[in-house]
Amino acid sequence: MKKTDNHILVIFGASGDLTERKLIPAVFNLHCRGFLPDNFAVVGVSRSAFSDEAYREKVVFQNQHLKDVNGNGDRAKFAERIYYYAMQTNNPADYPAFRARLKEISEERETGDNYIFYLSTPPSLYEIIPRSLAEVGLHRELDGWKRLIIEKPFGYNLETALDLNKKLLEYFSEAQLYRIDHYLGKETVQNLLITRFGNSIFEPIWNRNYIQHIEVTAAETVGVEKRGGYYDGSGAMRDMVQNHLLQLVALVAMEPPVQATETSIRNERMKLFQSLRQLSDEDIQNNVIRGQYTQSKVKGENFPGYREEEGVARDSRTETYFAMKFFIDNWRWSGVPFYLRTGKRLPTRVTEIVIHFKPTPHHLFSKGNGLPNVGNILVIRIQPNEGILLKFAMKIPGEGLQATDVNMDFHYSDLTDAYIPEAYERLLLDCIQGDATLYARGDAVAAAWEFVDPILKAWEANPEMKIYGYPSGTWGPENADDLIEGDNITWRYPCRNLTDDGIYCEL
């Protein structure tokens, strides 16, 4: 295990939902599992008025999201390391006193001069907080390291993303910046590298010669809930595609890194983004589908349409569903279509990557219905029911040579003795240890925006571009099926269960 230095984790936006639901539980789990040093502290920063004791009560003792990892986690001992500081984070005049308080805590806990600053705040503070920290010298690494974690969104479009990167680099170096994408912290996402490059049965056929197409799906059953005001200014493409889904594409399609190091892996992800074929106006018109969920009754419950949600404009053209076809122009993937889709109010919550291999070139074992052979399918399930499923043909018992599809699967739940850390737990530990492998680098963020920015501009330039309605509880606009190349080929419609896939379907 890597050495973990003494440090202080400073969380800006400490009274928010993310801190209570994810960040404090992640740090607590690391503490229980012995991954944190003896000398560490967590300092919550926000405008809300809390004493140290009141904040400890809120985020530790009354926090229902905290669970003792090994059955004997000591909340009282953990709570002693939690502090709180109230300030106006958008006011630079408050930072000298804040620095003095950090110094006091550092001396009390003997943490040295190592700090992580976590921005769990609105994006409007992404420039103000780093600048204010730098003005009081909290970016300098004279006697210890300083790291800055930033939550998405990393910009609103290409222009704002480039501007944000430029401003951040005025105060912190790229090596100090950790742009967090919680999808990359999921165990099944990390396992993509082992699946691809650690198995000789996969890597030789992971290319255009054997793969027909690849699809990535991220489906949600919920609507926008109480986030209608925020979501109406964002949409599915900004919320999911530019960051989460393109990162999954990078991992499933990138070239083998020379070494299993931060620099090598991030370089290969960047090369993949640079190989994405830029979308023309015709591509956007024909290969991009957007939709909005409409009112529907699902399992006896009435769900409102998107435009009826609180905070959403009645004439909104913000997409709650997004699907697209695109290509990667390099030697490995030339001519192989990639498909992405994501949406809210779909039938089940599931995220998965599906590799469709080319069918056999003869019809020796076809089903005699005139249809082409079905190729093998490899399903990499990110959530839920995490695991890997391979579908292949076997002979039906009895006379003749009739084939049927069978499943071979692996589930992380089968590893009954293995502890699977939450995404934020893994990512926080990586930052503490100075490993940015699973974080997004500035140039890669810009490259991803460069790929999707023409779509945003086309929508803005042509307000009449179609947006399709789809009833809540369905798999989105039926027009999305037209994206898939080939006769009698469509999207895979997954179930919540990966076990016994194709035998029964749990939604």
Side-chain angles (χ1 to χ4, degrees), residues 70-112:
N70 51 20
N72 60 357
D74 187 348
R75 293 196 184 206
K77 186 176 180 180
F78 176 69
E80 292 175 358
R81 303 167 186 273
I82 306 294
Y83 298 82
Y84 185 82
Y85 188 82
M87 64 181 284
Q88 297 292 329
T89 52
N90 62 351
N91 184 4
D94 284 1
Y95 282 78
F98 169 61
R99 178 186 178 180
R101 178 57 179 146
L102 282 185
K103 189 67 174 175
E104 291 176 359
I105 297 172
S106 175
E107 292 175 354
E108 177 186 340
R109 306 304 314 188
E110 299 180 350
T111 59

Side-chain angles (χ1 to χ4, degrees), residues 189-480:
V189 173
Q190 299 164 50
N191 195 48
L192 269 170
L193 298 178
I194 303 296
T195 301
R196 286 194 56 193
F197 305 128
N199 295 287
S200 60
I201 62 172
F202 288 131
E203 179 53 27
I205 60 173
W206 209 269
N207 54 57
R208 58 188 168 84
N209 296 321
Y210 296 94
I211 292 178
Q212 184 183 68
H213 67 277
I214 294 177
E215 58 178 284
V216 181
T217 293
E220 299 179 85
T221 56
V222 298
V224 295
E225 306 302 306
K226 302 297 183 182
R227 300 168 63 239
Y230 161 78
Y231 194 88
D232 208 38
S234 175
M237 205 277 286
R238 287 186 175 96
D239 193 44
M240 291 293 296
V241 176
Q242 181 274 331
N243 37 70
H244 302 323
L245 299 192
L246 285 182
Q247 290 291 345
L248 294 184
V249 169
L251 288 173
V252 81
M254 72 184 205
E255 293 299 312
V258 176
Q259 297 174 312
T261 62
E262 167 191 328
T263 300
S264 291
I265 293 173
R266 293 171 102 190
N267 283 346
E268 294 304 333
R269 295 210 308 257
M270 179 59 189
K271 290 177 186 176
L272 190 282
F273 288 138
Q274 291 174 324
S275 300
L276 294 171
R277 181 187 299 176
Q278 292 300 304
L279 300 170
S280 66
D281 291 340
E282 185 179 0
D283 290 331
I284 296 170
Q285 189 72 38
N286 298 328
N287 296 334
V288 175
I289 299 289
R290 59 176 176 161
Q292 281 183 356
Y293 62 80
T294 59
Q295 186 278 331
S296 182
K297 191 171 186 178
V298 181
K299 297 180 181 178
E301 184 177 356
N302 286 309
F303 289 108
Y306 174 68
R307 295 182 182 181
E308 298 160 5
E309 298 276 17
E310 180 182 343
V312 175
R314 295 296 172 259
D315 60 349
S316 172
R317 296 185 64 78
T318 298
E319 76 288 355
T320 64
Y321 176 94
F322 180 93
M324 69 180 300
K325 175 174 71 175
F326 63 97
F327 293 88
I328 297 172
D329 286 335
N330 61 19
W331 191 277
R332 181 183 294 267
W333 298 114
S334 178
V336 176
F338 283 72
Y339 301 94
L340 295 182
R341 64 173 169 173
T342 183
K344 292 187 175 295
R345 288 273 185 250
L346 301 185
T348 193
R349 173 180 172 267
V350 61
T351 301
E352 66 179 25
I353 301 167
V354 187
I355 315 297
H356 294 263
F357 292 95
K358 291 182 177 180
T360 54
H362 58 76
H363 294 268
L364 182 62
F365 305 118
S366 67
K367 296 185 172 78
N369 52 13
L371 299 178
N373 294 344
V374 178
N376 302 123
I377 296 175
L378 179 68
V379 180
I380 302 169
R381 176 64 64 86
I382 308 300
Q383 64 181 12
N385 208 197
E386 294 87 346
I388 296 177
L389 168 69
L390 178 65
K391 289 181 172 287
F392 59 100
M394 290 290 286
K395 178 184 177 296
I396 298 175
E399 296 183 5
L401 289 175
Q402 297 296 314
T404 187
D405 288 335
V406 298
N407 295 343
M408 181 182 293
D409 53 38
F410 161 76
H411 305 272
Y412 276 95
S413 59
D414 294 337
L415 300 175
T416 53
D417 296 330
Y419 174 79
I420 302 176
E422 293 287 336
Y424 279 98
E425 185 179 338
R426 168 63 192 270
L427 292 170
L428 276 174
L429 180 61
D430 281 355
C431 181
I432 293 168
Q433 297 179 337
D435 184 353
T437 302
L438 299 177
Y439 287 83
R441 203 167 63 190
D443 55 356
V445 170
W449 271 117
E450 188 174 352
F451 175 63
V452 301
D453 203 55
I455 302 174
L456 298 174
K457 289 181 177 177
W459 290 348
E460 292 171 0
N462 184 5
E464 300 305 314
M465 193 170 288
K466 291 181 180 179
I467 181 166
Y468 301 93
Y470 64 95
S472 296
T474 64
W475 278 106
E478 59 183 17
N479 312 70

Side-chain angles (χ1 to χ4, degrees), residues 6-21:
N6 300 332
H7 68 280
I8 293 178
L9 170 63
V10 180
I11 303 176
F12 289 94
S15 60
D17 183 60
L18 177 65
T19 300
E20 187 169 337
R21 279 191 311 109

